[in-house]
Amino acid sequence: MDMILKKHHLILIASFTCCQLLADDGYRLWLRYDRIENESIRADYMEAIRFVYVDGESPMMAVARKELAMGLSGLLGQTISQKPADADRGVYLGIVGKSGYIEPFISPGNLKGLRSEGFLIKATSDRTIIAALDEQGLLYGAFHFLKLLQLNKSIAGISTLENPRIQHRILNHWDNLDGTVERGYAGFSIWNWHQLPTYIDQRYIDYARANASIGINGTVVTNVNANALIFRADYVEKAAALADVFRPYGIKLYLTARFSAPMELGGLSTADPEDEAVKSWWQQKAAEIYKAIPDFGGFLVKANSEGQPGPQDYGRDHASGANMLADAVAPFGGIVMWRAFVYSEETPEDRALQAYNEFVPLDGSFHPNVMIQVKNGPIDFQPREPVHPLFGAMPKTPLMLELQITKEYLGQGTHVVGLAIMFRETLDTDTFRDGKGTTVAKVVEGTEKGHQLSGIAGVANIGTARNWTGNHFGQADWYAFGQLAWDPGVSVETIYTDWAQITFTHEPKAVQVIVNLLTRSYEACVNYMTPLGLHHIMGAGHHYGPAPWVDSQSRPDWNSVYYHKADDRGIGFDRTGTGSNALLQYSPEFRAQYEDALSCPPEFLLWFHHVGWETVISTGNTLWDELCIRYHKGAGEVAAFRQQWQGIESSIDSERFKEVLMHLSIQEMEAKWWRDACLSYFQSFSRMEIPNGLEQPEHSLDYYKSLSFPYAPGIRPRW
Ligand code: GCW
């Protein structure tokens, strides 16, 4: 008996020591500094990094110092000295022109091209220099250096220089002051307004740190469906406490401005932007905010859209409203991000036309500290949209790109859908604005037109969930947004391979599976939800699940039938000259790709055309068959994702393994639900058979129509 027990005990010890998979709940995101497993790599690092010295005493440099100390002691498994020892090998961080420690080791040639917030990492014979023009650059350099180690990359002979290509890299939180999050699928808001400014949740610090690690330098902490209360003195004080936390991490705080705040909060009888009392109310308010938050970033505004107040309520245009607010923050260096997501109360012939029609005539009339923030597509964050025509049409105005990281229309909290592919698709699209090669990325970078401002915004997917994003793979979307905001040219493969390694494991098979999942899931999702350019056919209000039959919402453009226009003849929205002619808002070269239904790329066929069920499309199949094939392909792929994930169980810590598996199982069920519900419904028009060899819908159309989800998350409260 004794023997048996002992033997058992030994086996237990053995299995514990061989298995390095410590429990992990995902809270640490990609900033996991566990000891490097490869001993020879670790030994090389130890040899090169005997100490790390950060030259500077400011709060930001204290953050860099702390991060390096924590990161290195974790990764290398021993505390690293922070004292310079000239004769010894080590890492020095310093500002160019200010640090005697780095100066002798870098030449002007090394610094060529270095810009604000950028950094240089350069190895000399016995030291590694991290140099920058400003502290923010050093902080990013420190994070980058740690990432190289997390990735087990060689630092011997390293010489790398990086600059952000976009100036303002900002998260937009659609967080309400009552703690709910509009379109939030990861719990509640992380901002506890009730307990601010005194109670500083550790999450605020960890949030700032995570964002700094991926180069994000701004955050709008309130919902664009704004509440004027945020400008009351006590709330400004609360916001100031958050700004104090963010500052050492290089993150500026911004707030959303409710256009009618002068009336709601200031007791004025109007919010007319041309009214002197209104102007001075905003100037006064800006002065108050800057007194509390000296580096306040500025305002983000949703005006005259979905019931939000705006300048049009007074017969003024967007420029008048934006410029009035811009003038209020200009003396303090603030900016205004004015959203182009507008659609009016009147029923439009085609909602896709409106933003272009309202904003293009205003090109050139915005003040220099205004950016127009444009969603990636003309409707609303659909699984796949063509790019917004405004990107090709406002050369005199800096345009910000707004992406949605939270997955309102892409499986919400449960589906794994890697968004980097979608983000890249948008950034790489050619608008032909200044001839071939004027991609959205170039327009947003703004350099060709010499714009002083450039920016990119991502609607955050962050909440109180222990792992921040609810679904572990949602972290990859947050991370990918940061990488692409810093460098819109970085490849999806690099983003995902790095993320998989630093967030999960270095085990090659597992990395391959994770990268595959993230890379292929976007197309799979488009296929099982809205193939061939279909859009906005999800459940009304909560946007959860399939509901192509929705036809009784108060506005025509809130109904699915408005978008797919299925009838006995065919399906799709004709946006060519025979229809709404939305295509005319694009450049001739862009138009040429989509104008002809016979040659139109399948991705956008039904976005731009109404096509007969039996028409043979560019793939060689009839439209109906192609629709069926794509719905099945998408759903089938998700089943394969689950199996692939199961195959790497031994490489993933058990908590995250199980949680991802459960989400993949939900996704598999929901992908089939999407497929079957949509095909049953569309079949009621096409009256054609689902092709041989493809599964038939599991339930009747009536069954799918009968499902209801009164408590689906993320629905907007009305103020
Ligand atoms: O995507 C839609 C959402 C709304 C959102 C709106 C917007 C914040 O359904 O919830 O409101 O867009 O972007 O303003």
Side-chain angles (χ1 to χ4, degrees), residues 174 182-183 223-225 302 305-306 339 341 375 380-381 402 404 408-409 543 716:
W174 286 356
E182 181 156 347
R183 311 308 176 184
N223 190 354
V224 288
N225 288 329
K302 170 175 178 177
S305 173
E306 296 185 326
R339 295 177 89 222
F341 177 71
K375 286 190 181 181
D380 187 6
F381 296 137
E402 179 178 317
Q404 197 181 44
E408 176 180 358
Y409 297 98
H543 297 156
R716 130 172 46 135

mmCIF file of all heavy atoms in Angstrom, residues 174 182-183 223-225 302 305-306 339 341 375 380-381 402 404 408-409 543 716, ligand 1:
data_model
loop_
_atom_site.group_PDB
_atom_site.id
_atom_site.type_symbol
_atom_site.label_atom_id
_atom_site.label_comp_id
_atom_site.label_asym_id
_atom_site.label_seq_id
_atom_site.Cartn_x
_atom_site.Cartn_y
_atom_site.Cartn_z
ATOM 1 N N TRP A 174 -18.296 52.738 -25.983
ATOM 2 C CA TRP A 174 -19.710 53.111 -26.020
ATOM 3 C C TRP A 174 -20.283 52.824 -24.631
ATOM 4 O O TRP A 174 -21.294 52.142 -24.475
ATOM 5 C CB TRP A 174 -20.434 52.329 -27.119
ATOM 6 C CG TRP A 174 -20.118 52.809 -28.519
ATOM 7 C CD1 TRP A 174 -19.342 53.894 -28.869
ATOM 8 C CD2 TRP A 174 -20.580 52.249 -29.751
ATOM 9 N NE1 TRP A 174 -19.301 54.020 -30.239
ATOM 10 C CE2 TRP A 174 -20.054 53.031 -30.806
ATOM 11 C CE3 TRP A 174 -21.400 51.152 -30.067
ATOM 12 C CZ2 TRP A 174 -20.308 52.755 -32.150
ATOM 13 C CZ3 TRP A 174 -21.647 50.873 -31.401
ATOM 14 C CH2 TRP A 174 -21.114 51.676 -32.431
ATOM 15 N N GLU A 182 -23.224 50.027 -24.566
ATOM 16 C CA GLU A 182 -23.978 49.823 -25.813
ATOM 17 C C GLU A 182 -23.140 48.922 -26.724
ATOM 18 O O GLU A 182 -21.960 49.190 -26.967
ATOM 19 C CB GLU A 182 -24.251 51.180 -26.480
ATOM 20 C CG GLU A 182 -25.039 51.033 -27.752
ATOM 21 C CD GLU A 182 -25.806 52.299 -28.129
ATOM 22 O OE1 GLU A 182 -25.929 53.210 -27.292
ATOM 23 O OE2 GLU A 182 -26.300 52.351 -29.265
ATOM 24 N N ARG A 183 -23.763 47.868 -27.190
ATOM 25 C CA ARG A 183 -23.077 46.870 -28.025
ATOM 26 C C ARG A 183 -21.873 46.262 -27.308
ATOM 27 O O ARG A 183 -20.858 45.941 -27.932
ATOM 28 C CB ARG A 183 -22.650 47.454 -29.369
ATOM 29 C CG ARG A 183 -23.733 48.212 -30.099
ATOM 30 C CD ARG A 183 -24.990 47.420 -30.249
ATOM 31 N NE ARG A 183 -26.060 48.209 -30.882
ATOM 32 C CZ ARG A 183 -27.292 47.757 -31.046
ATOM 33 N NH1 ARG A 183 -27.634 46.548 -30.617
ATOM 34 N NH2 ARG A 183 -28.197 48.497 -31.623
ATOM 35 N N ASN A 223 -19.987 57.020 -24.243
ATOM 36 C CA ASN A 223 -20.745 56.620 -25.440
ATOM 37 C C ASN A 223 -21.008 57.807 -26.379
ATOM 38 O O ASN A 223 -21.284 58.922 -25.913
ATOM 39 C CB ASN A 223 -22.076 56.025 -24.971
ATOM 40 C CG ASN A 223 -22.858 55.347 -26.080
ATOM 41 O OD1 ASN A 223 -22.479 55.400 -27.257
ATOM 42 N ND2 ASN A 223 -23.955 54.702 -25.722
ATOM 43 N N VAL A 224 -20.987 57.543 -27.680
ATOM 44 C CA VAL A 224 -21.346 58.584 -28.655
ATOM 45 C C VAL A 224 -22.823 58.974 -28.546
ATOM 46 O O VAL A 224 -23.187 60.092 -28.905
ATOM 47 C CB VAL A 224 -21.022 58.167 -30.112
ATOM 48 C CG1 VAL A 224 -19.523 58.174 -30.357
ATOM 49 C CG2 VAL A 224 -21.636 56.818 -30.451
ATOM 50 N N ASN A 225 -23.651 58.054 -28.093
ATOM 51 C CA ASN A 225 -25.013 58.433 -27.716
ATOM 52 C C ASN A 225 -24.844 59.042 -26.328
ATOM 53 O O ASN A 225 -24.907 58.364 -25.315
ATOM 54 C CB ASN A 225 -25.937 57.220 -27.694
ATOM 55 C CG ASN A 225 -26.242 56.735 -29.099
ATOM 56 O OD1 ASN A 225 -26.279 57.522 -30.047
ATOM 57 N ND2 ASN A 225 -26.443 55.440 -29.249
ATOM 58 N N LYS A 302 -21.416 62.635 -32.077
ATOM 59 C CA LYS A 302 -22.417 62.044 -32.967
ATOM 60 C C LYS A 302 -23.568 63.036 -32.998
ATOM 61 O O LYS A 302 -24.207 63.275 -31.967
ATOM 62 C CB LYS A 302 -22.872 60.695 -32.406
ATOM 63 C CG LYS A 302 -24.075 60.079 -33.103
ATOM 64 C CD LYS A 302 -24.353 58.680 -32.541
ATOM 65 C CE LYS A 302 -25.585 58.043 -33.165
ATOM 66 N NZ LYS A 302 -25.808 56.667 -32.689
ATOM 67 N N SER A 305 -28.008 62.150 -35.879
ATOM 68 C CA SER A 305 -28.002 60.756 -36.296
ATOM 69 C C SER A 305 -28.721 59.947 -35.244
ATOM 70 O O SER A 305 -28.464 60.144 -34.048
ATOM 71 C CB SER A 305 -26.557 60.278 -36.417
ATOM 72 O OG SER A 305 -26.538 58.895 -36.668
ATOM 73 N N GLU A 306 -29.605 59.099 -35.663
ATOM 74 C CA GLU A 306 -30.339 58.214 -34.750
ATOM 75 C C GLU A 306 -30.898 58.975 -33.547
ATOM 76 O O GLU A 306 -30.769 58.538 -32.410
ATOM 77 C CB GLU A 306 -29.439 57.067 -34.278
ATOM 78 C CG GLU A 306 -29.000 56.161 -35.415
ATOM 79 C CD GLU A 306 -28.212 54.946 -34.951
ATOM 80 O OE1 GLU A 306 -27.463 55.050 -33.967
ATOM 81 O OE2 GLU A 306 -28.355 53.894 -35.587
ATOM 82 N N ARG A 339 -18.401 62.727 -36.212
ATOM 83 C CA ARG A 339 -18.715 61.480 -36.922
ATOM 84 C C ARG A 339 -19.542 61.719 -38.182
ATOM 85 O O ARG A 339 -20.425 62.581 -38.192
ATOM 86 C CB ARG A 339 -19.458 60.507 -36.009
ATOM 87 C CG ARG A 339 -18.609 60.043 -34.850
ATOM 88 C CD ARG A 339 -19.414 59.152 -33.953
ATOM 89 N NE ARG A 339 -19.360 57.752 -34.317
ATOM 90 C CZ ARG A 339 -20.406 56.937 -34.324
ATOM 91 N NH1 ARG A 339 -21.619 57.377 -34.073
ATOM 92 N NH2 ARG A 339 -20.255 55.666 -34.609
ATOM 93 N N PHE A 341 -21.270 59.193 -39.367
ATOM 94 C CA PHE A 341 -22.339 58.181 -39.338
ATOM 95 C C PHE A 341 -23.659 58.908 -39.094
ATOM 96 O O PHE A 341 -24.099 59.089 -37.972
ATOM 97 C CB PHE A 341 -22.063 57.166 -38.225
ATOM 98 C CG PHE A 341 -23.150 56.139 -38.085
ATOM 99 C CD1 PHE A 341 -23.328 55.156 -39.042
ATOM 100 C CD2 PHE A 341 -24.003 56.151 -36.986
ATOM 101 C CE1 PHE A 341 -24.339 54.216 -38.916
ATOM 102 C CE2 PHE A 341 -25.019 55.207 -36.852
ATOM 103 C CZ PHE A 341 -25.177 54.240 -37.823
ATOM 104 N N LYS A 375 -17.025 55.610 -40.621
ATOM 105 C CA LYS A 375 -17.028 54.141 -40.466
ATOM 106 C C LYS A 375 -16.450 53.485 -41.715
ATOM 107 O O LYS A 375 -16.505 54.065 -42.799
ATOM 108 C CB LYS A 375 -18.449 53.630 -40.238
ATOM 109 C CG LYS A 375 -18.990 53.933 -38.856
ATOM 110 C CD LYS A 375 -20.315 53.203 -38.585
ATOM 111 C CE LYS A 375 -20.828 53.568 -37.198
ATOM 112 N NZ LYS A 375 -22.083 52.908 -36.842
ATOM 113 N N ASP A 380 -23.269 50.215 -41.847
ATOM 114 C CA ASP A 380 -23.079 50.169 -40.398
ATOM 115 C C ASP A 380 -22.357 48.892 -39.956
ATOM 116 O O ASP A 380 -22.992 47.980 -39.458
ATOM 117 C CB ASP A 380 -24.447 50.243 -39.710
ATOM 118 C CG ASP A 380 -24.318 50.378 -38.212
ATOM 119 O OD1 ASP A 380 -23.187 50.533 -37.736
ATOM 120 O OD2 ASP A 380 -25.352 50.319 -37.527
ATOM 121 N N PHE A 381 -21.044 48.845 -40.082
ATOM 122 C CA PHE A 381 -20.257 47.738 -39.520
ATOM 123 C C PHE A 381 -20.795 46.358 -39.883
ATOM 124 O O PHE A 381 -20.796 45.436 -39.066
ATOM 125 C CB PHE A 381 -20.198 47.842 -37.995
ATOM 126 C CG PHE A 381 -19.502 49.063 -37.475
ATOM 127 C CD1 PHE A 381 -20.032 49.787 -36.402
ATOM 128 C CD2 PHE A 381 -18.302 49.482 -38.010
ATOM 129 C CE1 PHE A 381 -19.380 50.907 -35.897
ATOM 130 C CE2 PHE A 381 -17.643 50.595 -37.504
ATOM 131 C CZ PHE A 381 -18.185 51.306 -36.449
ATOM 132 N N GLU A 402 -13.116 54.768 -38.654
ATOM 133 C CA GLU A 402 -13.715 54.158 -37.461
ATOM 134 C C GLU A 402 -13.992 52.683 -37.734
ATOM 135 O O GLU A 402 -14.747 52.341 -38.646
ATOM 136 C CB GLU A 402 -15.016 54.886 -37.086
ATOM 137 C CG GLU A 402 -15.719 54.287 -35.868
ATOM 138 C CD GLU A 402 -16.986 55.038 -35.452
ATOM 139 O OE1 GLU A 402 -16.986 56.280 -35.443
ATOM 140 O OE2 GLU A 402 -17.979 54.358 -35.141
ATOM 141 N N GLN A 404 -15.042 48.822 -35.916
ATOM 142 C CA GLN A 404 -15.729 48.311 -34.734
ATOM 143 C C GLN A 404 -15.005 47.056 -34.252
ATOM 144 O O GLN A 404 -14.944 46.055 -34.966
ATOM 145 C CB GLN A 404 -17.200 48.008 -35.046
ATOM 146 C CG GLN A 404 -18.047 47.875 -33.785
ATOM 147 C CD GLN A 404 -19.509 47.555 -34.051
ATOM 148 O OE1 GLN A 404 -19.801 46.710 -34.872
ATOM 149 N NE2 GLN A 404 -20.422 48.189 -33.339
ATOM 150 N N GLU A 408 -20.704 43.657 -32.876
ATOM 151 C CA GLU A 408 -22.160 43.842 -32.932
ATOM 152 C C GLU A 408 -22.812 42.981 -34.008
ATOM 153 O O GLU A 408 -23.844 42.356 -33.770
ATOM 154 C CB GLU A 408 -22.452 45.328 -33.198
ATOM 155 C CG GLU A 408 -23.921 45.627 -33.367
ATOM 156 C CD GLU A 408 -24.174 47.117 -33.638
ATOM 157 O OE1 GLU A 408 -23.208 47.902 -33.659
ATOM 158 O OE2 GLU A 408 -25.350 47.470 -33.814
ATOM 159 N N TYR A 409 -22.211 42.964 -35.173
ATOM 160 C CA TYR A 409 -22.810 42.235 -36.308
ATOM 161 C C TYR A 409 -21.987 41.006 -36.690
ATOM 162 O O TYR A 409 -22.158 40.456 -37.760
ATOM 163 C CB TYR A 409 -22.909 43.154 -37.521
ATOM 164 C CG TYR A 409 -23.812 44.354 -37.348
ATOM 165 C CD1 TYR A 409 -23.288 45.600 -37.024
ATOM 166 C CD2 TYR A 409 -25.193 44.241 -37.520
ATOM 167 C CE1 TYR A 409 -24.119 46.715 -36.889
ATOM 168 C CE2 TYR A 409 -26.028 45.350 -37.384
ATOM 169 C CZ TYR A 409 -25.487 46.574 -37.070
ATOM 170 O OH TYR A 409 -26.314 47.677 -36.940
ATOM 171 N N HIS A 543 -29.676 42.921 -32.808
ATOM 172 C CA HIS A 543 -28.801 42.475 -33.912
ATOM 173 C C HIS A 543 -28.195 41.099 -33.684
ATOM 174 O O HIS A 543 -27.142 40.769 -34.234
ATOM 175 C CB HIS A 543 -27.685 43.516 -34.172
ATOM 176 C CG HIS A 543 -28.228 44.832 -34.609
ATOM 177 N ND1 HIS A 543 -27.544 46.019 -34.451
ATOM 178 C CD2 HIS A 543 -29.409 45.157 -35.183
ATOM 179 C CE1 HIS A 543 -28.286 47.027 -34.919
ATOM 180 N NE2 HIS A 543 -29.411 46.520 -35.366
ATOM 181 N N ARG A 716 -28.989 49.472 -26.624
ATOM 182 C CA ARG A 716 -28.764 50.849 -26.185
ATOM 183 C C ARG A 716 -29.875 51.362 -25.278
ATOM 184 O O ARG A 716 -31.047 51.250 -25.594
ATOM 185 C CB ARG A 716 -28.653 51.695 -27.445
ATOM 186 C CG ARG A 716 -29.513 52.928 -27.483
ATOM 187 C CD ARG A 716 -29.169 53.769 -28.661
ATOM 188 N NE ARG A 716 -29.058 52.979 -29.883
ATOM 189 C CZ ARG A 716 -29.591 53.355 -31.041
ATOM 190 N NH1 ARG A 716 -30.256 54.469 -31.128
ATOM 191 N NH2 ARG A 716 -29.449 52.624 -32.114
HETATM 192 O O1 GCW B 1 -23.875 50.278 -35.160
HETATM 193 C C1 GCW B 1 -24.890 51.155 -34.773
HETATM 194 C C2 GCW B 1 -25.340 50.657 -33.461
HETATM 195 C C3 GCW B 1 -25.731 51.719 -32.484
HETATM 196 C C4 GCW B 1 -24.643 52.766 -32.476
HETATM 197 C C5 GCW B 1 -24.558 53.372 -33.862
HETATM 198 C C6 GCW B 1 -23.452 54.402 -33.987
HETATM 199 C C7 GCW B 1 -23.742 54.038 -30.670
HETATM 200 O O2 GCW B 1 -26.380 49.749 -33.647
HETATM 201 O O3 GCW B 1 -25.874 51.116 -31.241
HETATM 202 O O4 GCW B 1 -24.831 53.750 -31.501
HETATM 203 O O5 GCW B 1 -24.281 52.384 -34.795
HETATM 204 O O6 GCW B 1 -22.402 54.045 -34.462
HETATM 205 O O7 GCW B 1 -23.640 55.539 -33.603
#
